[in-house]
Structure formats: C-alpha cells, structure tokens
Amino acid sequence: MSEIEVAIVAGGCFWCTEAVFLELKGVYKVVPGYIGGEMPNPTYKAICTGQTGHAEAIQIEFNPIDISYEELLEVFFATHNPTTLNRQGNDIGTQYRSEIFYTNENQKQIAEDYIKLLTEENIFESPIVTTVSEATTFYVAEDYHHNYYNGNKEQGYCSFMIAPKIEKVKKVFKDKLK
C-alpha cells in the first residue's frame, strides 16, 4: 500500500469543504481546522474576528494511488469560487480566503501549474486569487465542527450552501466517489 499523503486547502467555510472531500474515494480522513495565522492555538471565536490571520481550512489524508493531488485540486477549484478575495458567498473575511497550503515542493509545483493551466484556459471569468503557501502549523478545530454537514443537514446554511456543492460533486465527479 502507498504512503498516505496530506493535503491542506482553504476554500471558504470548512463545513463546506469538509463535506465535499468526505465524498471522495481515496480520502481517508478530513479534519477541519485553522492555518496561516500568527496566534497559537486559535479558537473558532478568535478566527471569526478576522484578526488572527488564520484561514478556515481542511487537512485531507489521502492515498495517491486512489486519488491524486491534482484530482483533489480539480475538485477544490470546482466546488468554490477561487476568484473572490477573502470571500465565499456571504462568508466574508480573510478567514474565508482561497489558499492551498503545500506540504512538499511537489505539491507546490502541481498547485502552481494547475492554477496556471486554469488561467490559460480561461476557466473562470475573473482572475484566480487563490494563493499557494507553505503549510504552517495546522490547528484542529473544535469537535463540533467535525463532520458538521452530515450531522446538521437540515440546518439552513447546510441545506442552502453545502447541499448544492455535494450534488455538484456527485454529478461531475461520479467516478471519484466512495
């Protein structure tokens, strides 16, 4: 069996990104958390102020034999808006930025090349603002954020914001589903 790899992405609310990536085969674990800020051990309340510098992000443990890093990026870019600075829908603030946190130089190169490809092919009407940064300390979010969508599907935010992303993944990425 291949070594398990780790990918870290921030694409707005981590409830949304976690729910999407939990659907994919080859993904063993998805953990919501905070990365990219200055404050050690941030809390949800602290990062919601936008003052800590952290992004809401997910840490994905995956088997590259079953799903490649580039395939994870394909799903990432298809399920959030990488052209809005510090914003995803009604979620506004630096904590909702679009950012890829690479864990090795290969991931950095793949991410930069993928963004270049999307840009050259004019996939989005506006320029991509997703940044590519070296992963720093990833702080695991509080327990109640874990698997939030699956435990709260009837909640308004989940049914209006997350459910459509799940439906898109099921339609567009059928071959990548568990």
Side-chain angles (χ1 to χ4, degrees), residues 31-59:
V31 178
Y34 317 113
I35 190 170
E38 298 300 319
M39 172 191 276
N41 302 306
T43 63
Y44 183 67
K45 184 177 180 182
I47 71 111
C48 282
T49 67
Q51 301 301 306
T52 71
H54 292 88
E56 286 192 19
I58 54 168
Q59 181 176 273

Side-chain angles (χ1 to χ4, degrees), residues 34-95:
Y34 317 113
I35 190 170
E38 298 300 319
M39 172 191 276
N41 302 306
T43 63
Y44 183 67
K45 184 177 180 182
I47 71 111
C48 282
T49 67
Q51 301 301 306
T52 71
H54 292 88
E56 286 192 19
I58 54 168
Q59 181 176 273
I60 306 162
E61 292 181 16
F62 69 102
N63 183 337
I65 290 175
D66 297 325
I67 189 164
S68 69
Y69 184 70
E70 188 169 50
E71 288 173 305
L72 293 175
L73 293 181
E74 181 183 1
V75 173
F76 173 68
F77 280 101
T79 55
H80 86 292
N81 185 344
T83 69
T84 54
L85 187 62
N86 301 326
R87 178 182 193 146
Q88 288 299 306
N90 290 332
D91 293 329
I92 301 170
T94 57
Q95 67 270 32

Side-chain angles (χ1 to χ4, degrees), residues 109-140:
Q109 190 64 56
I110 291 169
E112 289 174 345
D113 290 348
Y114 196 74
I115 291 171
K116 182 179 177 190
L117 176 69
L118 293 173
T119 300
E120 289 172 353
E121 293 187 0
N122 293 311
I123 300 300
F124 299 97
E125 292 180 18
S126 299
I128 294 171
V129 298
T130 305
T131 55
V132 178
S133 306
E134 185 172 8
T136 56
T137 303
F138 182 87
Y139 297 98
V140 175

